[in-house]
Amino acid sequence: AGVRDDDCKLVARRLLQFVRNRFPEASGVPTDNGFVFTLEGQHVVTATVGKTFVELQVGPDRIPTSRIRDVEGLELALSLPSIAKGFDGTKA
């Protein structure tokens, strides 16, 4: 809610939707600079929300992304084989 950049706000919102759809049983908690989701004690995603970007760490191995600045960048990041593998490594 405190994010001022509209693109960054949209990226964070879309990421939340993605995680909720893919891992409906995951638990999310806000952090000082973003949010973290876990599923049965396993790391799903940590999102760091900056002034004009979002960075992710995905899956149990916390595979990082580069800075994501718009929805197209988020879609690209989520389709990367390493990121897909990171999400697939989370077992429900």
Side-chain angles (χ1 to χ4, degrees):
V3 178
R4 295 175 193 233
D5 182 78
D6 289 337
D7 285 334
C8 191
K9 219 182 271 190
L10 185 56
V11 168
R13 191 174 305 130
R14 292 274 177 94
L15 177 60
L16 285 169
Q17 290 171 343
F18 173 84
V19 172
R20 283 287 180 211
N21 288 337
R22 177 127 185 221
F23 303 98
E25 301 296 317
S27 302
V29 295
T31 64
D32 289 341
N33 58 352
F35 51 88
V36 175
F37 276 86
T38 59
L39 179 63
E40 297 179 5
Q42 294 178 83
H43 180 263
V44 175
V45 66
T46 296
T48 302
V49 181
K51 288 185 180 185
T52 60
F53 67 89
V54 174
E55 286 180 318
L56 307 178
Q57 292 179 359
V58 175
D61 294 332
R62 297 178 184 257
I63 299 166
T65 65
S66 58
R67 291 182 173 186
I68 301 167
R69 299 186 186 279
D70 54 33
V71 174
E72 292 80 17
L74 176 64
E75 297 298 325
L76 177 63
L78 293 176
S79 68
L80 290 172
S82 60
I83 299 303
K85 182 179 177 184
F87 280 123
D88 290 345
T90 304
K91 304 289 185 223

